[in-house]
Amino acid sequence: MNNFIYYQPTHVQQALPLLEERWGVAELLAGGTDLLDRLKDYVSSPQKVISLTAIQGPFREISAIPNPSGGPPQVTVGAGVKLADIAESKLLRDYPALTTAAAQIAGPQIRNMGTLGGSLCQRNRCWYFRDEHIQCLLKGGRKCYAQEGENQFHAIFTQGHPCVMVHPSTLAPPLIALGAVAQIAGPKGTRELPLEKMFQAPSKPEQREHTLAPNEILLSVTFGGVPLPSGSRLANASYEVKQKETSDWPLVQASVAFVHLGPGNRASKVRIVLGHVAPVPLLSPEAAQELEGKEVNEKTATAAAEAAVAGARPLSQNAYKIPMLKAAVKRAILLAAGFKPYW
Ligand SMILES: Cc1cc2nc3c(=O)[nH]c(=O)nc-3n(C[C@H](O)[C@H](O)[C@H](O)COP(=O)(O)OP(=O)(O)OC[C@H]3O[C@@H](n4cnc5c(N)ncnc54)[C@H](O)[C@@H]3O)c2cc1C
């Protein structure tokens, strides 16, 4: 890897002025499970590496405020919290969509090093992007090689996307389904952003997979605490299909959250998010609409799954993801509603 200057500030306020206004000059280092690979492969060659590992306090903690309606608490997860701690936290037991997704990331080594901030801000895993010898669109080249190349692990929602990588974070879909809001620190103070607006499909080197500015730091995400009508509960679940059971990204993922009304087994305030099928974690209002206000059963879950894939435009080698995604959406809905897995 190229030489760089290493900083280890102890406060976010010390870290911020070390960042630069354009991408590529400085990189934040959290667990390093993504960044170190990129440095060693010459995919990223920053002049400065700013470690977040000495920052303590809320940045590394999970905290909860009880919900006056008796429902799930409002939870804030610091960006420096390890993936393994998210998977196991008792404060998150009402949010299986998130904890099961965290528990399935990679293997124990990565989960014990990787952090929430690193998961949400990691760069994509397209093999053309990760090859130091290939100048793809995101590295200033003129074309996306996956469009006509080896694209079996790429996006199936491709329309309007010059780069067809898939967004790599498995935590983004459940957090978006749960309506999470990000707290972000920058030179002008702290701002809040709904997580569904924190991601973008990049198409040039000046863009990342997220919309944070190069001189901003993700501090935490907050979700839950919403009052629930009596007799109802917050149903949520994630389901992913993988080629390998461990140390791999999902081929497809679906995360769902809805208020499950006791009388009539109905779903309300439905949110369905598709993962690893588009350059962004994809909120699917079409799928949610199929379930909204209806009884949750095989029929309505299947209708939502059909609606979820209606806009898919697969590439030459990845149409196999469509039936997988349908199964993931249907199973996530049924799991959230408490159906026993029959698959
Ligand atoms: C074999 C393998 C399998 C994997 N499988 C999965 C999977 O199934 N699902 C999945 O989601 N991930 C998967 N991963 C990726 C893994 O989750 C990420 O590498 C990890 O979450 C990154 O966290 P980190 O703390 O190590 O980030 P780092 O490598 O330290 O940082 C990653 C990027 O995020 C930026 N960053 C970090 N923290 C912040 C912050 N607070 N604010 C702004 N920017 C920040 C850094 O600057 C850097 O660009 C896998 C990785 C491996 C090696």
Side-chain angles (χ1 to χ4, degrees), residues 27-35 38 52 79 83 105-106 110 114-115 117-119 121-122 168-170 208 212 217-218 247-250:
E27 282 279 354
L28 293 168
L29 172 74
T33 59
D34 168 37
L35 181 63
R38 280 193 274 128
L52 299 172
L83 303 174
I105 291 178
I110 300 290
T115 61
S119 171
C121 299
Q122 65 180 298
S169 177
T170 323
R208 289 262 160 131
L212 264 58
I217 299 176
L218 178 68
S247 299
D248 207 1
W249 278 260

PDB file of all heavy atoms in Angstrom, residues 27-35 38 52 79 83 105-106 110 114-115 117-119 121-122 168-170 208 212 217-218 247-250, ligand 1:
ATOM      1  N   GLU A  27      -9.183   9.222   4.634  1.00  0.00           N
ATOM      2  CA  GLU A  27     -10.143   8.136   4.875  1.00  0.00           C
ATOM      3  C   GLU A  27     -10.288   7.931   6.372  1.00  0.00           C
ATOM      4  O   GLU A  27      -9.282   7.918   7.095  1.00  0.00           O
ATOM      5  CB  GLU A  27      -9.651   6.818   4.263  1.00  0.00           C
ATOM      6  CG  GLU A  27      -9.826   6.686   2.769  1.00  0.00           C
ATOM      7  CD  GLU A  27     -11.225   6.274   2.320  1.00  0.00           C
ATOM      8  OE1 GLU A  27     -12.085   5.972   3.174  1.00  0.00           O
ATOM      9  OE2 GLU A  27     -11.449   6.258   1.109  1.00  0.00           O
ATOM     10  N   LEU A  28     -11.502   7.744   6.818  1.00  0.00           N
ATOM     11  CA  LEU A  28     -11.731   7.353   8.218  1.00  0.00           C
ATOM     12  C   LEU A  28     -11.470   5.854   8.344  1.00  0.00           C
ATOM     13  O   LEU A  28     -11.793   5.087   7.429  1.00  0.00           O
ATOM     14  CB  LEU A  28     -13.169   7.664   8.623  1.00  0.00           C
ATOM     15  CG  LEU A  28     -13.518   9.152   8.689  1.00  0.00           C
ATOM     16  CD1 LEU A  28     -15.027   9.332   8.800  1.00  0.00           C
ATOM     17  CD2 LEU A  28     -12.810   9.819   9.870  1.00  0.00           C
ATOM     18  N   LEU A  29     -10.926   5.465   9.469  1.00  0.00           N
ATOM     19  CA  LEU A  29     -10.677   4.044   9.747  1.00  0.00           C
ATOM     20  C   LEU A  29     -11.476   3.660  10.989  1.00  0.00           C
ATOM     21  O   LEU A  29     -11.275   4.232  12.063  1.00  0.00           O
ATOM     22  CB  LEU A  29      -9.189   3.818  10.009  1.00  0.00           C
ATOM     23  CG  LEU A  29      -8.793   2.420  10.492  1.00  0.00           C
ATOM     24  CD1 LEU A  29      -8.858   1.423   9.348  1.00  0.00           C
ATOM     25  CD2 LEU A  29      -7.393   2.433  11.087  1.00  0.00           C
ATOM     26  N   ALA A  30     -12.392   2.700  10.841  1.00  0.00           N
ATOM     27  CA  ALA A  30     -13.154   2.209  12.002  1.00  0.00           C
ATOM     28  C   ALA A  30     -12.587   0.831  12.355  1.00  0.00           C
ATOM     29  O   ALA A  30     -11.533   0.735  12.967  1.00  0.00           O
ATOM     30  CB  ALA A  30     -14.643   2.187  11.677  1.00  0.00           C
ATOM     31  N   GLY A  31     -13.250  -0.264  11.926  1.00  0.00           N
ATOM     32  CA  GLY A  31     -12.686  -1.600  12.167  1.00  0.00           C
ATOM     33  C   GLY A  31     -11.628  -1.980  11.144  1.00  0.00           C
ATOM     34  O   GLY A  31     -10.869  -2.920  11.333  1.00  0.00           O
ATOM     35  N   GLY A  32     -11.632  -1.286  10.010  1.00  0.00           N
ATOM     36  CA  GLY A  32     -10.632  -1.517   8.970  1.00  0.00           C
ATOM     37  C   GLY A  32     -10.903  -2.720   8.076  1.00  0.00           C
ATOM     38  O   GLY A  32     -10.109  -3.009   7.187  1.00  0.00           O
ATOM     39  N   THR A  33     -12.019  -3.426   8.277  1.00  0.00           N
ATOM     40  CA  THR A  33     -12.245  -4.666   7.520  1.00  0.00           C
ATOM     41  C   THR A  33     -12.537  -4.407   6.045  1.00  0.00           C
ATOM     42  O   THR A  33     -12.360  -5.297   5.219  1.00  0.00           O
ATOM     43  CB  THR A  33     -13.402  -5.488   8.125  1.00  0.00           C
ATOM     44  OG1 THR A  33     -14.583  -4.692   8.106  1.00  0.00           O
ATOM     45  CG2 THR A  33     -13.096  -5.929   9.542  1.00  0.00           C
ATOM     46  N   ASP A  34     -12.955  -3.215   5.706  1.00  0.00           N
ATOM     47  CA  ASP A  34     -13.116  -2.826   4.301  1.00  0.00           C
ATOM     48  C   ASP A  34     -11.927  -1.964   3.868  1.00  0.00           C
ATOM     49  O   ASP A  34     -11.276  -2.235   2.866  1.00  0.00           O
ATOM     50  CB  ASP A  34     -14.438  -2.064   4.124  1.00  0.00           C
ATOM     51  CG  ASP A  34     -14.535  -1.394   2.771  1.00  0.00           C
ATOM     52  OD1 ASP A  34     -14.063  -1.981   1.784  1.00  0.00           O
ATOM     53  OD2 ASP A  34     -15.070  -0.270   2.694  1.00  0.00           O
ATOM     54  N   LEU A  35     -11.609  -0.955   4.661  1.00  0.00           N
ATOM     55  CA  LEU A  35     -10.593   0.008   4.234  1.00  0.00           C
ATOM     56  C   LEU A  35      -9.221  -0.640   4.024  1.00  0.00           C
ATOM     57  O   LEU A  35      -8.537  -0.357   3.036  1.00  0.00           O
ATOM     58  CB  LEU A  35     -10.484   1.158   5.243  1.00  0.00           C
ATOM     59  CG  LEU A  35      -9.461   2.227   4.845  1.00  0.00           C
ATOM     60  CD1 LEU A  35      -9.855   2.914   3.543  1.00  0.00           C
ATOM     61  CD2 LEU A  35      -9.274   3.254   5.940  1.00  0.00           C
ATOM     62  N   ARG A  38      -8.868  -2.284   0.748  1.00  0.00           N
ATOM     63  CA  ARG A  38      -8.756  -1.314  -0.356  1.00  0.00           C
ATOM     64  C   ARG A  38      -7.369  -0.672  -0.414  1.00  0.00           C
ATOM     65  O   ARG A  38      -6.837  -0.441  -1.493  1.00  0.00           O
ATOM     66  CB  ARG A  38      -9.837  -0.224  -0.198  1.00  0.00           C
ATOM     67  CG  ARG A  38     -11.198  -0.686  -0.691  1.00  0.00           C
ATOM     68  CD  ARG A  38     -12.133   0.480  -0.812  1.00  0.00           C
ATOM     69  NE  ARG A  38     -12.807   0.787   0.432  1.00  0.00           N
ATOM     70  CZ  ARG A  38     -12.847   1.993   0.992  1.00  0.00           C
ATOM     71  NH1 ARG A  38     -12.266   3.013   0.431  1.00  0.00           N
ATOM     72  NH2 ARG A  38     -13.508   2.169   2.113  1.00  0.00           N
ATOM     73  N   LEU A  52     -10.809   6.108  14.029  1.00  0.00           N
ATOM     74  CA  LEU A  52     -11.883   6.464  14.977  1.00  0.00           C
ATOM     75  C   LEU A  52     -11.826   5.576  16.216  1.00  0.00           C
ATOM     76  O   LEU A  52     -12.690   5.646  17.072  1.00  0.00           O
ATOM     77  CB  LEU A  52     -13.249   6.289  14.285  1.00  0.00           C
ATOM     78  CG  LEU A  52     -13.481   7.154  13.040  1.00  0.00           C
ATOM     79  CD1 LEU A  52     -14.775   6.748  12.339  1.00  0.00           C
ATOM     80  CD2 LEU A  52     -13.535   8.630  13.419  1.00  0.00           C
ATOM     81  N   ALA A  79     -22.151   4.850  15.803  1.00  0.00           N
ATOM     82  CA  ALA A  79     -21.516   4.340  14.572  1.00  0.00           C
ATOM     83  C   ALA A  79     -20.314   3.453  14.878  1.00  0.00           C
ATOM     84  O   ALA A  79     -19.930   2.621  14.066  1.00  0.00           O
ATOM     85  CB  ALA A  79     -21.090   5.506  13.688  1.00  0.00           C
ATOM     86  N   LEU A  83     -20.372  -4.922  14.985  1.00  0.00           N
ATOM     87  CA  LEU A  83     -21.470  -5.720  14.411  1.00  0.00           C
ATOM     88  C   LEU A  83     -21.878  -6.837  15.366  1.00  0.00           C
ATOM     89  O   LEU A  83     -23.059  -7.127  15.537  1.00  0.00           O
ATOM     90  CB  LEU A  83     -21.029  -6.311  13.069  1.00  0.00           C
ATOM     91  CG  LEU A  83     -20.568  -5.296  12.007  1.00  0.00           C
ATOM     92  CD1 LEU A  83     -20.025  -6.015  10.791  1.00  0.00           C
ATOM     93  CD2 LEU A  83     -21.701  -4.363  11.629  1.00  0.00           C
ATOM     94  N   ILE A 105     -23.694 -11.382   9.050  1.00  0.00           N
ATOM     95  CA  ILE A 105     -22.623 -10.741   8.260  1.00  0.00           C
ATOM     96  C   ILE A 105     -21.325 -11.533   8.416  1.00  0.00           C
ATOM     97  O   ILE A 105     -20.893 -11.827   9.534  1.00  0.00           O
ATOM     98  CB  ILE A 105     -22.407  -9.278   8.712  1.00  0.00           C
ATOM     99  CG1 ILE A 105     -23.613  -8.419   8.307  1.00  0.00           C
ATOM    100  CG2 ILE A 105     -21.118  -8.712   8.135  1.00  0.00           C
ATOM    101  CD1 ILE A 105     -23.523  -6.978   8.733  1.00  0.00           C
ATOM    102  N   ALA A 106     -20.723 -11.843   7.296  1.00  0.00           N
ATOM    103  CA  ALA A 106     -19.387 -12.458   7.236  1.00  0.00           C
ATOM    104  C   ALA A 106     -19.232 -13.591   8.243  1.00  0.00           C
ATOM    105  O   ALA A 106     -20.023 -14.528   8.275  1.00  0.00           O
ATOM    106  CB  ALA A 106     -18.320 -11.382   7.419  1.00  0.00           C
ATOM    107  N   ILE A 110     -14.886 -10.820  11.383  1.00  0.00           N
ATOM    108  CA  ILE A 110     -15.314  -9.538  10.797  1.00  0.00           C
ATOM    109  C   ILE A 110     -16.325  -8.863  11.725  1.00  0.00           C
ATOM    110  O   ILE A 110     -16.270  -7.650  11.953  1.00  0.00           O
ATOM    111  CB  ILE A 110     -15.954  -9.763   9.398  1.00  0.00           C
ATOM    112  CG1 ILE A 110     -14.955 -10.414   8.448  1.00  0.00           C
ATOM    113  CG2 ILE A 110     -16.504  -8.454   8.829  1.00  0.00           C
ATOM    114  CD1 ILE A 110     -13.811  -9.558   8.001  1.00  0.00           C
ATOM    115  N   GLY A 114     -15.674  -5.164  12.588  1.00  0.00           N
ATOM    116  CA  GLY A 114     -16.486  -4.240  11.791  1.00  0.00           C
ATOM    117  C   GLY A 114     -17.495  -3.482  12.646  1.00  0.00           C
ATOM    118  O   GLY A 114     -17.976  -3.982  13.658  1.00  0.00           O
ATOM    119  N   THR A 115     -17.804  -2.272  12.222  1.00  0.00           N
ATOM    120  CA  THR A 115     -18.706  -1.391  12.982  1.00  0.00           C
ATOM    121  C   THR A 115     -19.926  -1.015  12.153  1.00  0.00           C
ATOM    122  O   THR A 115     -19.937  -1.185  10.928  1.00  0.00           O
ATOM    123  CB  THR A 115     -17.966  -0.094  13.339  1.00  0.00           C
ATOM    124  OG1 THR A 115     -17.599   0.554  12.103  1.00  0.00           O
ATOM    125  CG2 THR A 115     -16.714  -0.345  14.175  1.00  0.00           C
ATOM    126  N   GLY A 117     -20.891   2.077  11.493  1.00  0.00           N
ATOM    127  CA  GLY A 117     -20.498   3.139  10.556  1.00  0.00           C
ATOM    128  C   GLY A 117     -19.786   2.567   9.344  1.00  0.00           C
ATOM    129  O   GLY A 117     -20.049   2.973   8.203  1.00  0.00           O
ATOM    130  N   GLY A 118     -18.904   1.596   9.589  1.00  0.00           N
ATOM    131  CA  GLY A 118     -18.171   0.989   8.483  1.00  0.00           C
ATOM    132  C   GLY A 118     -19.089   0.185   7.582  1.00  0.00           C
ATOM    133  O   GLY A 118     -18.912   0.157   6.363  1.00  0.00           O
ATOM    134  N   SER A 119     -20.090  -0.467   8.176  1.00  0.00           N
ATOM    135  CA  SER A 119     -21.028  -1.242   7.359  1.00  0.00           C
ATOM    136  C   SER A 119     -21.828  -0.320   6.441  1.00  0.00           C
ATOM    137  O   SER A 119     -22.023  -0.612   5.265  1.00  0.00           O
ATOM    138  CB  SER A 119     -21.990  -2.039   8.250  1.00  0.00           C
ATOM    139  OG  SER A 119     -23.005  -2.598   7.460  1.00  0.00           O
ATOM    140  N   CYS A 121     -21.013   2.718   5.465  1.00  0.00           N
ATOM    141  CA  CYS A 121     -20.184   3.552   4.578  1.00  0.00           C
ATOM    142  C   CYS A 121     -19.175   2.735   3.781  1.00  0.00           C
ATOM    143  O   CYS A 121     -18.330   3.305   3.089  1.00  0.00           O
ATOM    144  CB  CYS A 121     -19.462   4.626   5.393  1.00  0.00           C
ATOM    145  SG  CYS A 121     -20.597   5.738   6.234  1.00  0.00           S
ATOM    146  N   GLN A 122     -19.212   1.399   3.875  1.00  0.00           N
ATOM    147  CA  GLN A 122     -18.260   0.570   3.131  1.00  0.00           C
ATOM    148  C   GLN A 122     -18.457   0.772   1.639  1.00  0.00           C
ATOM    149  O   GLN A 122     -19.537   1.134   1.162  1.00  0.00           O
ATOM    150  CB  GLN A 122     -18.444  -0.910   3.486  1.00  0.00           C
ATOM    151  CG  GLN A 122     -19.793  -1.491   3.076  1.00  0.00           C
ATOM    152  CD  GLN A 122     -19.947  -2.965   3.429  1.00  0.00           C
ATOM    153  OE1 GLN A 122     -19.219  -3.790   2.952  1.00  0.00           O
ATOM    154  NE2 GLN A 122     -20.924  -3.280   4.274  1.00  0.00           N
ATOM    155  N   PRO A 168     -23.534  -2.738  -0.744  1.00  0.00           N
ATOM    156  CA  PRO A 168     -23.028  -3.895   0.002  1.00  0.00           C
ATOM    157  C   PRO A 168     -23.543  -4.056   1.430  1.00  0.00           C
ATOM    158  O   PRO A 168     -23.316  -5.100   2.034  1.00  0.00           O
ATOM    159  CB  PRO A 168     -21.516  -3.645   0.031  1.00  0.00           C
ATOM    160  CG  PRO A 168     -21.385  -2.152  -0.004  1.00  0.00           C
ATOM    161  CD  PRO A 168     -22.538  -1.649  -0.821  1.00  0.00           C
ATOM    162  N   SER A 169     -24.212  -3.056   1.993  1.00  0.00           N
ATOM    163  CA  SER A 169     -24.533  -3.159   3.423  1.00  0.00           C
ATOM    164  C   SER A 169     -25.801  -3.967   3.691  1.00  0.00           C
ATOM    165  O   SER A 169     -26.873  -3.659   3.176  1.00  0.00           O
ATOM    166  CB  SER A 169     -24.710  -1.770   4.043  1.00  0.00           C
ATOM    167  OG  SER A 169     -25.088  -1.913   5.400  1.00  0.00           O
ATOM    168  N   THR A 170     -25.684  -4.969   4.556  1.00  0.00           N
ATOM    169  CA  THR A 170     -26.844  -5.762   4.971  1.00  0.00           C
ATOM    170  C   THR A 170     -27.572  -5.100   6.131  1.00  0.00           C
ATOM    171  O   THR A 170     -28.664  -5.524   6.495  1.00  0.00           O
ATOM    172  CB  THR A 170     -26.374  -7.160   5.414  1.00  0.00           C
ATOM    173  OG1 THR A 170     -25.325  -7.570   4.575  1.00  0.00           O
ATOM    174  CG2 THR A 170     -27.451  -8.174   5.285  1.00  0.00           C
ATOM    175  N   ARG A 208     -19.653   8.715  -3.582  1.00  0.00           N
ATOM    176  CA  ARG A 208     -19.591   7.457  -2.837  1.00  0.00           C
ATOM    177  C   ARG A 208     -20.958   6.784  -2.893  1.00  0.00           C
ATOM    178  O   ARG A 208     -21.910   7.342  -3.415  1.00  0.00           O
ATOM    179  CB  ARG A 208     -19.214   7.751  -1.384  1.00  0.00           C
ATOM    180  CG  ARG A 208     -17.756   8.183  -1.247  1.00  0.00           C
ATOM    181  CD  ARG A 208     -16.897   7.006  -0.841  1.00  0.00           C
ATOM    182  NE  ARG A 208     -15.511   7.254  -1.151  1.00  0.00           N
ATOM    183  CZ  ARG A 208     -14.514   7.082  -0.297  1.00  0.00           C
ATOM    184  NH1 ARG A 208     -14.765   6.691   0.934  1.00  0.00           N
ATOM    185  NH2 ARG A 208     -13.279   7.278  -0.666  1.00  0.00           N
ATOM    186  N   LEU A 212     -22.974  11.251   2.412  1.00  0.00           N
ATOM    187  CA  LEU A 212     -22.189  12.056   3.349  1.00  0.00           C
ATOM    188  C   LEU A 212     -21.135  12.848   2.575  1.00  0.00           C
ATOM    189  O   LEU A 212     -20.593  12.341   1.589  1.00  0.00           O
ATOM    190  CB  LEU A 212     -21.464  11.144   4.352  1.00  0.00           C
ATOM    191  CG  LEU A 212     -22.132  10.899   5.710  1.00  0.00           C
ATOM    192  CD1 LEU A 212     -23.506  10.291   5.564  1.00  0.00           C
ATOM    193  CD2 LEU A 212     -21.256   9.990   6.572  1.00  0.00           C
ATOM    194  N   ILE A 217     -18.784  12.920   9.437  1.00  0.00           N
ATOM    195  CA  ILE A 217     -18.640  11.629  10.133  1.00  0.00           C
ATOM    196  C   ILE A 217     -20.024  11.172  10.587  1.00  0.00           C
ATOM    197  O   ILE A 217     -20.784  11.962  11.175  1.00  0.00           O
ATOM    198  CB  ILE A 217     -17.719  11.766  11.369  1.00  0.00           C
ATOM    199  CG1 ILE A 217     -16.316  12.223  10.949  1.00  0.00           C
ATOM    200  CG2 ILE A 217     -17.634  10.454  12.148  1.00  0.00           C
ATOM    201  CD1 ILE A 217     -15.356  12.477  12.112  1.00  0.00           C
ATOM    202  N   LEU A 218     -20.349   9.924  10.297  1.00  0.00           N
ATOM    203  CA  LEU A 218     -21.601   9.357  10.816  1.00  0.00           C
ATOM    204  C   LEU A 218     -21.426   9.100  12.307  1.00  0.00           C
ATOM    205  O   LEU A 218     -20.480   8.401  12.713  1.00  0.00           O
ATOM    206  CB  LEU A 218     -21.913   8.046  10.082  1.00  0.00           C
ATOM    207  CG  LEU A 218     -23.162   7.308  10.548  1.00  0.00           C
ATOM    208  CD1 LEU A 218     -24.424   8.076  10.191  1.00  0.00           C
ATOM    209  CD2 LEU A 218     -23.210   5.904   9.943  1.00  0.00           C
ATOM    210  N   SER A 247     -19.171 -15.937   5.736  1.00  0.00           N
ATOM    211  CA  SER A 247     -18.142 -15.173   5.035  1.00  0.00           C
ATOM    212  C   SER A 247     -18.519 -14.814   3.603  1.00  0.00           C
ATOM    213  O   SER A 247     -17.721 -14.952   2.680  1.00  0.00           O
ATOM    214  CB  SER A 247     -16.810 -15.936   5.039  1.00  0.00           C
ATOM    215  OG  SER A 247     -16.396 -16.109   6.369  1.00  0.00           O
ATOM    216  N   ASP A 248     -19.760 -14.386   3.435  1.00  0.00           N
ATOM    217  CA  ASP A 248     -20.193 -14.001   2.100  1.00  0.00           C
ATOM    218  C   ASP A 248     -21.297 -12.962   2.213  1.00  0.00           C
ATOM    219  O   ASP A 248     -21.988 -12.887   3.223  1.00  0.00           O
ATOM    220  CB  ASP A 248     -20.714 -15.241   1.365  1.00  0.00           C
ATOM    221  CG  ASP A 248     -20.565 -15.099  -0.133  1.00  0.00           C
ATOM    222  OD1 ASP A 248     -20.055 -14.056  -0.579  1.00  0.00           O
ATOM    223  OD2 ASP A 248     -20.961 -16.024  -0.849  1.00  0.00           O
ATOM    224  N   TRP A 249     -21.467 -12.196   1.166  1.00  0.00           N
ATOM    225  CA  TRP A 249     -22.594 -11.256   1.127  1.00  0.00           C
ATOM    226  C   TRP A 249     -23.830 -11.987   0.604  1.00  0.00           C
ATOM    227  O   TRP A 249     -23.684 -12.962  -0.152  1.00  0.00           O
ATOM    228  CB  TRP A 249     -22.280 -10.111   0.164  1.00  0.00           C
ATOM    229  CG  TRP A 249     -21.433  -9.043   0.769  1.00  0.00           C
ATOM    230  CD1 TRP A 249     -21.844  -7.842   1.261  1.00  0.00           C
ATOM    231  CD2 TRP A 249     -20.014  -9.070   0.928  1.00  0.00           C
ATOM    232  NE1 TRP A 249     -20.764  -7.137   1.730  1.00  0.00           N
ATOM    233  CE2 TRP A 249     -19.622  -7.869   1.549  1.00  0.00           C
ATOM    234  CE3 TRP A 249     -19.019  -9.995   0.630  1.00  0.00           C
ATOM    235  CZ2 TRP A 249     -18.306  -7.574   1.859  1.00  0.00           C
ATOM    236  CZ3 TRP A 249     -17.711  -9.704   0.946  1.00  0.00           C
ATOM    237  CH2 TRP A 249     -17.366  -8.502   1.554  1.00  0.00           C
ATOM    238  N   PRO A 250     -25.023 -11.522   0.941  1.00  0.00           N
ATOM    239  CA  PRO A 250     -26.219 -12.166   0.387  1.00  0.00           C
ATOM    240  C   PRO A 250     -26.306 -11.941  -1.123  1.00  0.00           C
ATOM    241  O   PRO A 250     -25.810 -10.934  -1.633  1.00  0.00           O
ATOM    242  CB  PRO A 250     -27.374 -11.438   1.083  1.00  0.00           C
ATOM    243  CG  PRO A 250     -26.776 -10.707   2.222  1.00  0.00           C
ATOM    244  CD  PRO A 250     -25.342 -10.447   1.874  1.00  0.00           C
TER     245      PRO A 250
HETATM  246  C1  LIG B   1     -15.606 -12.004   3.902  1.00  0.00           C
HETATM  247  C2  LIG B   1     -16.482 -10.812   4.183  1.00  0.00           C
HETATM  248  C3  LIG B   1     -17.857 -10.954   4.137  1.00  0.00           C
HETATM  249  C4  LIG B   1     -18.695  -9.860   4.393  1.00  0.00           C
HETATM  250  N1  LIG B   1     -20.067 -10.006   4.340  1.00  0.00           N
HETATM  251  C5  LIG B   1     -20.851  -8.938   4.553  1.00  0.00           C
HETATM  252  C6  LIG B   1     -22.261  -9.032   4.524  1.00  0.00           C
HETATM  253  O1  LIG B   1     -22.834 -10.087   4.323  1.00  0.00           O
HETATM  254  N2  LIG B   1     -22.991  -7.909   4.722  1.00  0.00           N
HETATM  255  C7  LIG B   1     -22.396  -6.717   4.972  1.00  0.00           C
HETATM  256  O2  LIG B   1     -23.102  -5.729   5.182  1.00  0.00           O
HETATM  257  N3  LIG B   1     -21.066  -6.588   5.010  1.00  0.00           N
HETATM  258  C8  LIG B   1     -20.290  -7.657   4.816  1.00  0.00           C
HETATM  259  N4  LIG B   1     -18.945  -7.524   4.871  1.00  0.00           N
HETATM  260  C9  LIG B   1     -18.373  -6.190   5.023  1.00  0.00           C
HETATM  261  C10 LIG B   1     -18.219  -5.796   6.437  1.00  0.00           C
HETATM  262  O3  LIG B   1     -19.478  -5.703   7.040  1.00  0.00           O
HETATM  263  C11 LIG B   1     -17.567  -4.442   6.417  1.00  0.00           C
HETATM  264  O4  LIG B   1     -16.238  -4.625   5.986  1.00  0.00           O
HETATM  265  C12 LIG B   1     -17.595  -3.772   7.755  1.00  0.00           C
HETATM  266  O5  LIG B   1     -18.907  -3.532   8.190  1.00  0.00           O
HETATM  267  C13 LIG B   1     -16.895  -2.450   7.668  1.00  0.00           C
HETATM  268  O6  LIG B   1     -16.805  -1.921   8.977  1.00  0.00           O
HETATM  269  P1  LIG B   1     -15.425  -1.386   9.507  1.00  0.00           P
HETATM  270  O7  LIG B   1     -15.717  -0.766  10.810  1.00  0.00           O
HETATM  271  O8  LIG B   1     -14.375  -2.446   9.482  1.00  0.00           O
HETATM  272  O9  LIG B   1     -15.137  -0.275   8.402  1.00  0.00           O
HETATM  273  P2  LIG B   1     -13.779   0.295   7.820  1.00  0.00           P
HETATM  274  O10 LIG B   1     -13.140  -0.672   6.914  1.00  0.00           O
HETATM  275  O11 LIG B   1     -12.948   0.862   8.908  1.00  0.00           O
HETATM  276  O12 LIG B   1     -14.395   1.510   6.980  1.00  0.00           O
HETATM  277  C14 LIG B   1     -15.181   1.273   5.822  1.00  0.00           C
HETATM  278  C15 LIG B   1     -15.508   2.615   5.175  1.00  0.00           C
HETATM  279  O13 LIG B   1     -16.446   3.309   5.977  1.00  0.00           O
HETATM  280  C16 LIG B   1     -15.961   4.594   6.325  1.00  0.00           C
HETATM  281  N5  LIG B   1     -16.415   4.860   7.688  1.00  0.00           N
HETATM  282  C17 LIG B   1     -16.273   4.053   8.762  1.00  0.00           C
HETATM  283  N6  LIG B   1     -16.861   4.597   9.842  1.00  0.00           N
HETATM  284  C18 LIG B   1     -17.387   5.771   9.427  1.00  0.00           C
HETATM  285  C19 LIG B   1     -18.130   6.791  10.087  1.00  0.00           C
HETATM  286  N7  LIG B   1     -18.458   6.719  11.385  1.00  0.00           N
HETATM  287  N8  LIG B   1     -18.530   7.876   9.364  1.00  0.00           N
HETATM  288  C20 LIG B   1     -18.210   7.967   8.040  1.00  0.00           C
HETATM  289  N9  LIG B   1     -17.515   7.033   7.377  1.00  0.00           N
HETATM  290  C21 LIG B   1     -17.110   5.943   8.058  1.00  0.00           C
HETATM  291  C22 LIG B   1     -14.452   4.494   6.199  1.00  0.00           C
HETATM  292  O14 LIG B   1     -13.854   5.728   5.894  1.00  0.00           O
HETATM  293  C23 LIG B   1     -14.299   3.519   5.036  1.00  0.00           C
HETATM  294  O15 LIG B   1     -14.358   4.178   3.794  1.00  0.00           O
HETATM  295  C24 LIG B   1     -18.100  -8.615   4.674  1.00  0.00           C
HETATM  296  C25 LIG B   1     -16.710  -8.470   4.727  1.00  0.00           C
HETATM  297  C26 LIG B   1     -15.900  -9.559   4.488  1.00  0.00           C
HETATM  298  C27 LIG B   1     -14.407  -9.354   4.545  1.00  0.00           C
END
